[in-house]
């Protein structure tokens, strides 16, 4: 008679967890960080430990987390990104709502794991570095109190909520001042001065990605009012009148279907925005106005005087390096001999090259020969 041994995997896993816990308690956890001891004080870290250390470097402030969330929404195909934020004591909340491609239900927890990305064949290089390694949301989750997908579905957009303990992850002290926009020497519009706060992070991203994304920033009530005003152009208003389940329509359209304050509060909670009944009534009555886009708000009074900068205009002019200008001048000086021999002319100096806007002007100072 053959005796068959039976191993219950459900009991084996807790036993393995107990063993890991025992090793960690005895060694202080240091052995779990090391893959190989190379001797003489050198070790090879386990992948997980190396990832955690890199995550601490990638996200060093709340503003860093905001930028990574914005980049994540952009890469998800979002054209409109709504950032709701506020702080009470040391607790900062960030809710980011977008009209991107959305996240399948079974992936909503896993996107915060290391190396999880939907960009298998591509990465995005922008002014903040490489994006597409599958480390952005992992880095955020490693540095904040909580990070989760509030609601999302394929084709319906997403809402992500991040709660931060500012005693652990710092932010700029001034979170109310808007930066000033200006034009640099190359004629490119950009943020010229102001504190490097959450507002500036959103402004710089909105300027950089203005051809692809429109960013809105405000409190939970301001963003909710903005969502009600905007709705979603892809969803006909007649379809919103007969909605049985708000989970079947785009996230950005859901506040538009609320008929009363109670329903607005439920929908707001379902997309990661907390508000009181009084605030809900104020939104419905129009007392809390929709907020303008970040770019629209940037074009305002600068330095005490009205100074508007067209952020969509390419003001860049032609610039020629000194070395190229000198080389061009020498070529022109040599070719000037064509006129000099025929009209008895002589250059009194090197040709002068002047570049203004999109024009190159060359001046020849000449003396007539006897």
């Amino acid at each position: 008679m053959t005796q068959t041994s039976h191993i219950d995997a459900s009991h084996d896993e807790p036993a393995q967890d107990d063993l890991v816990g025992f090793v960690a308690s005895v060694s202080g956890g240091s052995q779990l960080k090391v893959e190989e001891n190379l001797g003489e004080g050198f070790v090879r870290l386990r992948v997980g430990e190396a990832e955690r250390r890199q995550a601490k470097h990638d996200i060093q402030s709340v503003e860093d987390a905001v930028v990574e969330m914005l980049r994540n929404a952009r890469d998800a195909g979002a054209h409109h990104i709504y950032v709701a934020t506020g702080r009470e004591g040391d607790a900062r909340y960030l809710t980011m709502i977008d009209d991107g491609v959305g996240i399948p239900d079974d992936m909503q927890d896993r996107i915060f794991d290391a190396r999880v990305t939907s960009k298998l064949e591509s990465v995005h290089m922008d002014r903040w570095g490489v994006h597409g390694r599958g480390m952005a949301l992992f880095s955020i989750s490693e540095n904040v109190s909580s990070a989760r997908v509030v609601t999302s579905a394929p084709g319906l957009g997403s809402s992500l909520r991040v709660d931060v303990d500012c005693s652990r992850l710092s932010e700029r002290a001034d979170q109310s001042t808007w930066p000033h926009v200006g034009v640099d020497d190359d004629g490119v519009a950009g943020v010229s001065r102001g504190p490097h706060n959450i507002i500036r992070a959103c402004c710089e991203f909105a300027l950089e990605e203005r051809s692809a994304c429109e960013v809105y920033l405000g409190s939970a009530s301001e963003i909710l009012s903005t969502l009600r005003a905007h709705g979603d152009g892809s969803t006909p208003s007649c379809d919103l009148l007969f909605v049985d389940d708000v989970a079947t329509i785009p996230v950005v359209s859901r506040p538009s279907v609320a008929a009363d304050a109670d329903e607005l509060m439920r929908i707001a909670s379902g997309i990661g925005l907390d508000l009181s009944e009084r605030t809900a009534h104020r939104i419905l009555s129009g007392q809390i106005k929709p907020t303008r886009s970040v770019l629209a708000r940037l074009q305002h009074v600068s330095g005490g005087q009205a100074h508007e900068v067209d952020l969509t205009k390419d003001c860049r002019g032609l610039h020629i390096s000194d070395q190229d200008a000198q080389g061009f001048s020498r070529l022109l000086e040599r070719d000037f001999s064509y006129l000099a021999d025929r009209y008895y002319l002589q250059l009194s100096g090197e040709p002068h090259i002047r570049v203004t806007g999109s024009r190159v002007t060359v001046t020849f100072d000449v003396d007539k020969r006897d």
Side-chain angles (χ1 to χ4, degrees), residues 179-183 189-193 207 298-300 302 307 309 311:
H180 292 261
V181 67
V183 177
V191 175
S192 59
R193 66 183 189 276
L207 278 168
L298 267 180
Q299 298 187 78
H300 71 308
S302 177
H307 175 67
V309 177
L311 301 177

Side-chain angles (χ1 to χ4, degrees), residues 58-75:
D58 289 345
I59 303 295
Q60 299 186 45
S61 68
V62 173
E63 290 79 12
D64 290 341
V66 170
V67 170
E68 292 303 323
M69 292 175 72
L70 288 167
R71 296 169 82 197
N72 188 70
R74 175 204 63 196
D75 290 355

Side-chain angles (χ1 to χ4, degrees), residues 244-310:
D244 294 326
D245 183 4
V246 294
T248 61
I249 63 175
V251 176
V252 295
S253 297
R254 295 176 189 176
S256 301
V257 306
D260 54 38
D262 287 339
E263 188 175 11
L264 183 59
M265 289 174 63
R266 288 195 300 271
I267 291 175
S269 178
I271 62 175
L273 301 175
D274 300 325
L275 72 158
S276 65
E277 183 178 358
R278 179 175 178 273
T279 302
H281 280 291
R282 293 181 64 206
I283 293 173
L284 292 173
S285 64
Q287 295 181 46
I288 298 178
K289 301 297 183 182
T291 185
R292 295 177 297 166
S293 71
V294 164
L295 287 189
R297 295 172 73 178
L298 267 180
Q299 298 187 78
H300 71 308
V301 176
S302 177
Q305 297 181 348
H307 175 67
E308 289 197 356
V309 177
D310 187 352

